[in-house]
Amino acid sequence: GAVVSQHPSWVICKSGTSVKIECRSLDFQATTMFWYRQFPKQSLMLMATSNEGSKATYEQGVEKDKFLINHASLTLSTLTVTSAHPEDSSFYICSAAPGIHEQYFGPGTRLTVT
Amino acid sequence: GQQLNQSPQSMFIQEGEDVSMNCTSSSIFNTWLWYKQDPGEGPVLLIALYKAGELTSNGRLTAQFGITRKDSFLNISASIPSDVGIYFCAGRQTGANNLFFGTGTRLTVIP
């Protein structure tokens, strides 16, 4: 149980284009989902907290107009990187929380912007 | 945001040896979680701790929630090659939804 999927697992896009990443909880409902970014050999940094049916809460320094988050249902949240630039290249990981304690992570999406 | 300090940063051990790593913070947490991340994958939850002093095992893994609520440790007994990976601690503070992650411990097991 507690399986979280992400799609796509990797994506290469040209600078200036937008990319959408999906995060789904497959066998549980998650009122809260989280989006993280991880640079090589570094820890996970929280970007935003996404609550179903309401606006996401962004961490300090994360541009909400650049990283659009939609949490339309209890099993799906999407992250859209708009007007991507090479410095946005990173490993993006989502997690979903079935309750108030644990978080279960997706397998991650590697984004490369050329 | 806050970051938890993990030590050691990296470890090279022989197969069969026991491993110990810890995580410390200047702030109090009410939940401690330990995750393992393989290259190119998302973190996988290993152990969750909810009470100060709690000691919990999951197979060869044992983790404890420090009495001060500012630290936690993870032990791995009789290491095997598939234990290779990066281990992260994560903590949650009272009233918060989000987790703060440790800096990670990279474990290498030499067969």
Side-chain angles (χ1 to χ4, degrees):
Chain A
V3 179
V4 178
S5 70
Q6 273 183 248
H7 178 80
S9 54
W10 59 269
V11 56
I12 301 173
C13 71
K14 292 190 181 220
S15 189
T17 61
S18 296
V19 173
K20 181 188 281 189
I21 303 170
E22 292 186 350
C23 177
R24 292 181 187 271
S25 55
L26 298 185
D27 51 2
F28 64 96
Q29 293 185 329
T31 45
T32 306
M33 289 185 172
F34 303 86
W35 287 95
Y36 295 82
R37 182 165 50 184
Q38 186 178 35
F39 291 108
K41 298 192 177 181
Q42 292 190 21
S43 188
L44 286 77
M45 296 304 294
L46 180 66
M47 297 175 67
T49 302
S50 166
N51 292 299
E52 186 263 339
S54 63
K55 289 185 180 180
T57 303
Y58 290 82
E59 294 299 299
Q60 195 169 15
V62 178
E63 299 173 59
K64 62 181 180 183
D65 294 329
K66 179 169 183 63
F67 298 99
L68 301 179
I69 291 172
N70 184 285
H71 192 157
S73 77
L74 288 171
T75 59
L76 173 65
S77 176
T78 60
L79 168 68
T80 301
V81 183
T82 63
S83 187
H85 291 287
E87 58 265 30
D88 297 324
S89 298
S90 188
F91 193 49
Y92 291 86
I93 312 175
C94 72
S95 70
I100 61 170
H101 295 299
E102 301 92 359
Q103 286 184 27
Y104 296 94
F105 285 82
T109 296
R110 183 160 302 284
L111 170 64
T112 302
V113 185
T114 60
Chain B
Q2 296 193 46
Q3 196 160 55
L4 309 178
N5 296 310
Q6 269 183 257
S7 65
Q9 269 191 331
S10 61
M11 305 179 74
F12 291 80
I13 61 166
Q14 291 287 139
E15 183 177 356
E17 287 184 354
D18 297 343
V19 172
S20 185
M21 60 189 80
N22 74 327
C23 192
T24 59
S25 169
S26 57
S27 302
I28 289 174
F29 289 88
N30 69 345
T31 301
W32 284 93
L33 306 171
W34 283 92
Y35 290 89
K36 177 175 183 272
Q37 186 178 29
D38 291 328
E41 301 285 335
V44 174
L45 181 63
L46 300 174
I47 292 181
L49 302 160
Y50 305 112
K51 291 193 320 186
E54 180 181 353
L55 185 72
T56 298
S57 293
N58 177 8
R60 294 178 296 107
L61 278 61
T62 301
Q64 184 156 32
F65 191 143
I67 290 289
T68 65
R69 296 201 282 157
K70 294 183 179 181
D71 62 336
S72 176
F73 73 73
L74 174 71
N75 285 346
I76 305 173
S77 62
S79 59
I80 59 178
S82 61
D83 290 335
V84 165
I86 303 177
Y87 291 79
F88 289 102
C89 62
R92 177 184 290 107
Q93 294 181 308
T94 302
N97 253 348
N98 57 297
L99 295 175
F100 294 103
F101 275 82
T103 45
T105 295
R106 184 180 296 271
L107 177 64
T108 301
V109 179
I110 303 165

